[in-house]
Amino acid sequence: MTRIVQLRRGILEKNDEYAASLRARFTSAGVTVSNWVSSPGTGKTALLEAVLVAAGDRGVAAGALVGDCATDNDARRLARSGAPVRQIVTESMCHLEADMVGKHLDDVDLAGLDLLVIENVGNLVCPTAYDLGEDLRVALLSVTEGEDKPAKYPALFHSADVVVITKMDIADAVEWDRPAAVAALTAVNPTAPVLFTSARTGAGVDELLDLLRSTRPREAS
Amino acid sequence: MTRIVQLRRGILEKNDEYAASLRARFTSAGVTVSNWVSSPGTGKTALLEAVLVAAGDRGVAAGALVGDCATDNDARRLARSGAPVRQIVTESMCHLEADMVGKHLDDVDLAGLDLLVIENVGNLVCPTAYDLGEDLRVALLSVTEGEDKPAKYPALFHSADVVVITKMDIADAVEWDRPAAVAALTAVNPTAPVLFTSARTGAGVDELLDLLRSTRPREAS
């Protein structure tokens, strides 16, 4: 196993280097970048669509880069918002890496954007170790997923700068236990703000957009 | 990347060898084994609990092996059914491998079981390539996850012997589009039977138990 651990460490170090250069590129363009990570089916794309539409309504120039193992369904769906959207098809890859992000931004006018959202592949484990040069890592969790997910997948939730609860409109229907969910989140990450949202009703969408906008691009290290 | 591809191939070949020996062990013990794979939050554990209780009621000896990155929450929850349950804590590992399964079965009386369910780590990508010696691979998908998940994660759904839809009790509340979901499944896997279940109402639980029981242990190759 030692060879594999060494190889993996080498991949992560290369990713960190590439992510640092991406972060410098984002900072110099003045675009705030968030990396959205969740389980498949949490509703990342639906919420992202709502955020892109809200951004358009408020004159905020927002774009998105969406990762999936297969299909460009999400990019086509998000393009309805009018925002610039690029799809990364990862094939059998279970997460995005910084160089994949960089390559897909070559034809994007980053300086013309205020916000860029990177929607990672739906996966609560593998994306955790890969910095994409983002200013904010956003972990999303839906009310249908079980309140103890942060305890079961602690690494991701620990690494999040913001936690977004999705599908609040069906919280009652699924008997979601809000205190239990918040307690599980706080146990692994006591500092990240938690937003409660619904793409269907629009709850929390403006608040999320405000939070994404108020984050200044991180200084390149 | 070639070294990584070669290493990965080596890992998969070793896993296949180990899985073949596990399959022989299961066949000789006369236990039917299924490997349940889904996104985190699909409701694998809730449905498994319902299946274990139904098995107990019907005099079927069933056991479970549950994988999670952290916590033994699921094993403790499932133990309420009275069935023998073992937890595999995978740490940062995003899937189960055959040797992990084998090691956790050393103190389990396989010959005393009719059914063994292996609940994989919640992940729609990484478990796909790892044979665990199972007779049946069961892919689960909840009505809250978006009807196009099979198109976005085709490898897993293509490899499934059975597809189980979960959380049917809230299908209307989330406006689940059944024809769209079935069409997406059929496109990647035209032959696997599809069961519609709800752990909360018990719908489909007996049907799933019947299906798991009717599968004879696969002949060791």
Side-chain angles (χ1 to χ4, degrees):
Chain A
M1 290 297 281
T2 317
R3 270 177 71 204
I4 295 170
V5 170
Q6 284 170 345
L7 256 177
R8 183 157 187 268
R9 192 170 299 150
I11 293 170
L12 286 175
E13 279 169 9
K14 274 202 187 123
N15 185 78
D16 281 348
E17 282 171 28
Y18 200 107
S21 71
L22 258 185
R23 184 166 284 118
R25 193 169 153 194
F26 294 150
T27 304
S28 126
V31 58
T32 305
V33 180
S34 55
N35 172 12
W36 293 19
V37 184
S38 81
S39 176
T42 298
K44 286 185 295 304
T45 312
L47 189 63
L48 177 51
E49 185 171 13
V51 165
L52 293 179
V53 169
D57 289 347
R58 290 164 59 180
V60 176
L65 194 62
V66 294
D68 271 305
C69 292
T71 84
D72 63 349
N73 290 6
D74 285 0
R76 286 190 285 111
R77 176 172 165 193
L78 291 169
R80 297 184 304 203
S81 69
V85 178
R86 296 288 178 281
Q87 177 86 44
I88 304 179
V89 177
T90 65
E91 312 269 336
S92 65
M93 192 83 127
C94 50
H95 59 273
L96 294 180
E97 298 187 4
D99 62 339
M100 300 159 74
V101 170
K103 281 171 199 155
H104 282 78
L105 291 174
D106 283 342
D107 66 337
V108 174
D109 173 24
L110 288 175
L113 289 180
D114 302 310
L115 287 182
L116 174 69
V117 174
I118 304 169
E119 182 186 335
N120 221 309
V121 179
N123 189 320
L124 283 183
V125 187
C126 314
T128 308
Y130 293 87
D131 182 8
L132 304 182
E134 72 266 20
D135 301 296
L136 279 181
R137 180 174 290 187
V138 180
L140 299 94
L141 183 64
S142 82
V143 297
T144 70
E145 284 174 54
E147 294 79 2
D148 65 348
K149 282 291 168 296
K152 288 182 176 174
Y153 300 88
L156 171 67
F157 289 95
H158 179 72
S159 74
D161 299 300
V162 180
V163 176
V164 174
I165 309 294
T166 62
K167 307 190 186 180
M168 283 300 294
D169 55 293
I170 55 167
D172 290 343
V174 298
E175 295 171 19
W176 184 60
D177 185 341
R178 177 172 173 151
V182 171
L185 280 170
T186 306
V188 299
N189 188 334
T191 57
V194 182
L195 298 187
F196 301 87
T197 69
S198 163
R200 195 189 278 174
T201 67
V205 170
D206 282 329
E207 201 180 348
L208 175 56
L209 181 56
D210 286 341
L211 194 149
L212 296 175
R213 289 190 69 194
S214 67
T215 305
R216 294 182 50 191
R218 201 175 268 176
E219 286 302 310
S221 54
Chain B
M1 291 298 281
T2 316
R3 270 177 72 205
I4 296 170
V5 170
Q6 282 171 347
L7 257 177
R8 182 155 188 268
R9 193 171 296 150
I11 292 170
L12 287 174
E13 279 169 8
K14 273 201 187 126
N15 185 78
D16 281 349
E17 281 171 29
Y18 200 108
S21 72
L22 259 186
R23 183 166 284 119
R25 194 169 152 195
F26 295 149
T27 305
S28 128
V31 58
T32 305
V33 180
S34 56
N35 172 13
W36 292 20
V37 184
S38 81
S39 177
T42 298
K44 287 185 294 302
T45 312
L47 190 63
L48 177 50
E49 186 171 12
V51 165
L52 293 178
V53 169
D57 290 348
R58 291 164 59 180
V60 176
L65 194 62
V66 294
D68 271 305
C69 292
T71 86
D72 63 348
N73 291 6
D74 285 0
R76 286 190 286 114
R77 177 173 165 192
L78 292 169
R80 298 184 303 203
S81 68
V85 178
R86 296 289 179 279
Q87 177 86 44
I88 304 179
V89 176
T90 64
E91 312 268 337
S92 65
M93 193 83 127
C94 51
H95 60 273
L96 293 180
E97 298 187 5
D99 62 340
M100 300 158 74
V101 170
K103 281 171 199 156
H104 282 78
L105 290 174
D106 284 341
D107 67 338
V108 174
D109 173 24
L110 288 175
L113 291 179
D114 301 309
L115 287 182
L116 174 69
V117 173
I118 303 169
E119 182 186 335
N120 220 309
V121 179
N123 189 321
L124 283 182
V125 187
C126 315
T128 309
Y130 293 87
D131 182 7
L132 304 182
E134 72 265 20
D135 301 295
L136 278 181
R137 180 173 291 187
V138 180
L140 299 94
L141 183 65
S142 82
V143 297
T144 71
E145 284 174 55
E147 294 80 2
D148 65 348
K149 282 291 168 295
K152 287 182 176 175
Y153 300 88
L156 171 67
F157 289 95
H158 178 73
S159 74
D161 299 300
V162 180
V163 176
V164 174
I165 308 294
T166 62
K167 307 190 187 181
M168 283 301 294
D169 55 292
I170 55 166
D172 289 343
V174 299
E175 295 170 18
W176 185 60
D177 185 341
R178 178 171 173 151
V182 171
L185 280 169
T186 307
V188 298
N189 188 334
T191 57
V194 182
L195 298 187
F196 301 86
T197 70
S198 163
R200 195 189 278 174
T201 67
V205 169
D206 282 330
E207 200 181 349
L208 175 56
L209 180 57
D210 286 341
L211 193 149
L212 297 175
R213 290 190 69 192
S214 67
T215 306
R216 293 183 50 193
R218 202 175 269 176
E219 287 301 310
S221 56

